[in-house]
Amino acid sequence: RSRDPNLSGTPVVLVNELESLPDLSVTGIRPEMLYHLQGDYTQISVLEESGVKRASRAVVMADNVRSNVDSDRDARSVLCALTIERLHPQIYCVVELVDAAHRETLEMGHVEVVIMRADLAGRALASACRSQHVMDAMMNLLTLREGEHVHRLPGPKERLRFSELLNAVKEHEGFLVIGIEEDGKAKLNPPADFMVTPE
């Protein structure tokens, strides 16, 4: 059971070339909502069979089945992501890359989020060196089944100072506001007097 209300009850289609599903019990996905399609996820016919044209999100992970060569894995990820974007331009697509060399290509192809595996691991290691408790907080946010989660809420009904919004949301929703979205960009921890609009 997902603790994210936006994803609760959302079917998940896993496309890979494995004969059977890996153990995904740790994710909390209900087994009846999980579908496995065996096939090459770079092929248009396989992506169409997966229902990608009706999907709201796509996550492309580096392929560890066909190759252990980073450039080959990234090439397959890029091909898959660009094909998905071509088949369904409105989809929200997240792609894992091993090497940053292809990041710009994915951004030009309108992929919303590119996760760099080594960069993410490096940042986590550096944070752990600075403070164990910072890492504890990060893991709490990134763990699916336990801990806290980041939620998006609509803006206030009227313009408010950030400090007023912080108190109102904590009091009425029980959430700690960590930032706002402005023009599609996250602005974390804005000044107390920053004016937050309904948008």
Side-chain angles (χ1 to χ4, degrees):
R1 167 178 118 226
S2 173
R3 291 192 51 195
D4 185 338
N6 296 321
L7 298 177
S8 181
T10 302
V12 174
V13 180
L14 179 63
V15 181
N16 62 28
E17 295 182 70
L18 299 174
E19 290 184 17
S20 60
L21 276 172
D23 180 13
L24 298 174
S25 58
V26 70
T27 65
I29 297 172
R30 298 191 338 241
E32 69 273 15
M33 300 301 285
L34 182 60
Y35 303 90
H36 180 222
L37 175 60
Q38 185 180 8
D40 179 354
Y41 66 74
T42 65
Q43 300 299 310
I44 293 173
S45 60
V46 173
L47 290 171
E48 286 179 332
E49 186 180 348
S50 76
V52 74
K53 290 181 179 179
R54 298 184 309 275
S56 61
R57 296 172 175 88
V59 177
V60 180
M61 298 176 67
D63 184 357
N64 295 325
V65 176
R66 281 205 176 201
S67 176
N68 288 324
V69 179
D70 290 348
S71 59
D72 291 347
R73 290 193 290 194
D74 278 355
R76 288 178 55 76
S77 296
V78 169
L79 176 59
C80 177
L82 295 179
T83 305
I84 288 171
E85 288 288 349
R86 184 72 176 177
L87 290 171
H88 184 11
Q90 290 78 33
I91 199 166
Y92 181 83
C93 192
V94 179
V95 180
E96 174 192 31
L97 285 181
V98 181
D99 183 351
H102 302 291
R103 177 190 286 272
E104 193 172 322
T105 303
L106 290 174
E107 290 169 352
M108 286 174 52
H110 307 292
V111 168
E112 284 76 10
V113 179
V114 179
I115 303 289
M116 301 303 308
R117 181 188 291 184
D119 184 43
L120 193 58
R123 288 173 190 237
L125 288 167
S127 295
C129 287
R130 285 195 303 271
S131 168
Q132 171 192 342
H133 303 297
V134 169
M135 200 60 218
D136 290 344
M138 287 171 56
M139 292 306 295
N140 184 302
L141 288 171
L142 295 173
T143 303
L144 293 175
R145 294 186 74 176
E146 299 173 1
E148 301 298 329
H149 300 276
V150 177
H151 300 274
R152 292 176 74 216
L153 296 175
K157 290 185 173 38
E158 56 191 40
R159 288 172 51 98
L160 285 176
R161 293 179 60 213
F162 181 71
S163 58
E164 295 170 320
L165 180 70
L166 192 70
N167 292 330
V169 171
K170 184 65 176 170
E171 185 175 325
H172 293 100
E173 304 290 339
F175 296 148
L176 175 64
V177 179
I178 60 172
I180 62 155
E181 255 183 30
E182 185 177 42
D183 298 326
K185 303 278 186 195
K187 184 176 219 152
L188 299 182
N189 193 26
D193 61 353
F194 183 86
M195 294 306 293
V196 182
T197 67
E199 294 77 34

